Amino acid sequence: MSISEELQNTGYLFSNAKILMAAAEYDSALILLKTIVRAGKKNSEVCLAIGKCYESLSKDQLAQEYYEESIAFSASLEAYQKLANIWLKAGAYSEAAKIFGRASASKLNLDVQSRLELMQAAGNCLAKSGNYAAAVEQYVCALDLDPKSDTVCSNVGVLNLHQGRIKEAKSYFSDALSGNPKNAKALFGMAQACLNEGNKIQAHDYFIRSLNENIQQSDALYQLVKLSFELKSYVSAVRLLQEYAEVSPINTHVLYVLAGMQFFLRRFLESKSTLNKILELQPDHAGARELLKHIESEPSWRTFNHGIEPRAEGHRSPN
């Protein structure tokens, strides 16, 4: 095909390249896209498409170069997001934060929500890189756009909590919960803050509220179990352990803790059922065998508490 013919057919070539990309035929798509480039019709869309092909072929360095070139021709939100994703895959969170920051500060015609999400993404990346001060600064800028964002407030609360600023953390978590009382992250953060202050009863209640909103929080579940044993308050923990066991991969430690709490609540039939389930999965589970034997034959069950409470050292949160 001559150059003049290529110039006349670049639209057709680009349409076919997109069809090939949709079919995951990236090498073939690249042939057409490079034909367009050779014809002198390189633009933002073509560079973005070439970048996507290279990324799909695991050639991230080349993908990065074309995403940058796409932005240089005519910036688009997608190009910024794809470029940031290259850095995220490499674990280069500071670099990804810079890209999200460039996007949020660009002249793109973005609505408030889109710009807010970019600023949050930059803050999240900075937090993952360990640059908490810069992350807080980014989140605070995001709050200038939307002072009532419960997501941003909870993120700032978490960072303050990590830095030991408990009062400030609670203030941000409170703001988040004012906007969204069901924000599981803010509820969990508030529980941790209360625990740091030594208020175990209030922490216990916040852990329950957080797990009510999102049961898939193994750290919150472990903290709740630990506090439930300390406070001898088992009812809510039993309910939440049962819910967790239903939706999570089978974990015999979680089931054993559940059986122990059912035992302390004198729900012996439920405890036996849970113990039998453990023994089906792990026949040599000594603790389950001991507790089951005790339920079936020992009248002095009130004195039994060996091995039920979660381990203080070397504990791994249930997952």
Side-chain angles (χ1 to χ4, degrees), residues 22-81:
E25 296 288 343
Y26 301 112
D27 286 313
S28 298
L30 277 171
I31 293 172
L32 298 184
L33 292 167
K34 288 183 177 180
T35 301
I36 296 172
V37 172
R38 191 169 63 250
K41 290 293 186 176
K42 183 192 289 187
N43 59 30
S44 179
E45 282 188 296
V46 171
C47 289
L48 179 60
I50 293 174
K52 288 179 180 178
C53 288
Y54 278 129
E55 185 176 2
S56 298
L57 293 169
S58 300
K59 297 179 179 180
D60 286 354
Q61 182 61 47
L62 288 169
Q64 178 185 334
E65 292 173 9
Y66 276 96
Y67 290 147
E68 284 283 16
E69 197 166 357
S70 175
I71 292 168
F73 269 109
S74 178
S76 69
L77 180 57
E78 185 179 10
Y80 277 120
Q81 290 172 329

Side-chain angles (χ1 to χ4, degrees), residues 21 80 84 113 128 132 134 150 171 211 221:
M21 289 171 66
Y80 277 120
Q113 184 60 34
K128 287 182 179 179
Y132 296 136
D150 63 289
S171 176
L211 286 161
L221 189 66

Side-chain angles (χ1 to χ4, degrees), residues 26-315:
Y26 301 112
D27 286 313
S28 298
L30 277 171
I31 293 172
L32 298 184
L33 292 167
K34 288 183 177 180
T35 301
I36 296 172
V37 172
R38 191 169 63 250
K41 290 293 186 176
K42 183 192 289 187
N43 59 30
S44 179
E45 282 188 296
V46 171
C47 289
L48 179 60
I50 293 174
K52 288 179 180 178
C53 288
Y54 278 129
E55 185 176 2
S56 298
L57 293 169
S58 300
K59 297 179 179 180
D60 286 354
Q61 182 61 47
L62 288 169
Q64 178 185 334
E65 292 173 9
Y66 276 96
Y67 290 147
E68 284 283 16
E69 197 166 357
S70 175
I71 292 168
F73 269 109
S74 178
S76 69
L77 180 57
E78 185 179 10
Y80 277 120
Q81 290 172 329
K82 298 295 286 185
L83 181 57
N85 187 57
I86 294 290
W87 290 113
L88 287 173
K89 287 193 293 181
Y93 298 113
S94 294
E95 295 301 321
K98 291 177 184 177
I99 303 304
F100 285 125
R102 282 169 55 191
S104 67
S106 70
K107 295 181 179 180
L108 288 173
N109 185 23
L110 301 174
D111 57 31
V112 171
Q113 184 60 34
S114 296
R115 207 169 290 278
L116 180 68
E117 288 174 359
L118 288 168
M119 297 175 82
Q120 286 187 74
N124 293 344
C125 290
L126 289 166
K128 287 182 179 179
S129 73
N131 192 344
Y132 296 136
V136 169
E137 184 178 340
Q138 190 68 46
Y139 288 140
V140 169
C141 288
L143 286 174
D144 288 339
L145 284 180
D146 183 4
K148 295 183 179 180
S149 171
D150 63 289
T151 302
V152 179
C153 285
S154 60
N155 286 339
V156 182
V158 168
L159 291 179
N160 277 287
L161 193 62
H162 285 171
Q163 297 174 84
R165 296 198 291 265
I166 308 303
K167 183 178 179 181
E168 291 87 346
K170 289 183 72 175
S171 176
Y172 278 106
F173 290 137
S174 180
D175 288 345
L177 293 171
S178 294
N180 178 11
K182 295 185 177 184
N183 185 316
K185 187 174 185 178
L187 290 165
F188 178 62
M190 191 68 87
Q192 290 180 304
C194 291
L195 201 55
N196 269 278
E197 293 177 330
N199 191 336
K200 294 182 178 181
I201 293 176
Q202 199 167 32
H204 181 267
D205 291 343
Y206 274 116
F207 281 129
I208 290 171
R209 288 177 59 188
S210 181
L211 286 161
N212 281 340
E213 301 304 328
N214 177 15
I215 194 62
Q216 298 281 18
Q217 298 182 86
S218 57
D219 288 342
L221 189 66
Y222 169 65
Q223 294 290 349
L224 174 63
V225 165
K226 187 177 179 182
L227 283 174
S228 295
F229 276 113
E230 291 180 20
L231 300 172
K232 300 188 186 306
S233 177
Y234 308 116
V235 175
S236 292
V238 165
R239 173 179 60 80
L240 291 164
L241 280 166
Q242 288 172 326
E243 289 182 19
Y244 184 86
E246 287 175 3
V247 299
S248 303
I250 294 172
N251 184 312
T252 54
H253 181 64
V254 169
L255 293 175
Y256 184 49
V257 172
L258 172 60
M261 288 191 170
Q262 290 168 329
F263 175 82
F264 285 128
L265 287 171
R266 304 181 67 174
R267 299 178 183 176
F268 302 126
L269 291 177
E270 292 179 22
S271 184
K272 285 176 65 176
S273 176
T274 303
L275 291 166
N276 283 325
K277 185 181 296 184
I278 293 171
L279 293 171
E280 287 176 9
L281 299 165
Q282 189 177 336
D284 61 345
H285 195 294
R289 286 188 172 279
E290 184 179 356
L291 181 53
L292 185 59
K293 180 180 178 181
H294 190 81
I295 291 173
E296 292 175 340
S297 62
E298 291 289 337
S300 57
W301 60 267
R302 294 179 184 82
T303 63
F304 184 93
N305 62 7
H306 175 69
I308 297 296
E309 297 191 29
R311 297 180 291 278
E313 296 181 0
H315 173 81

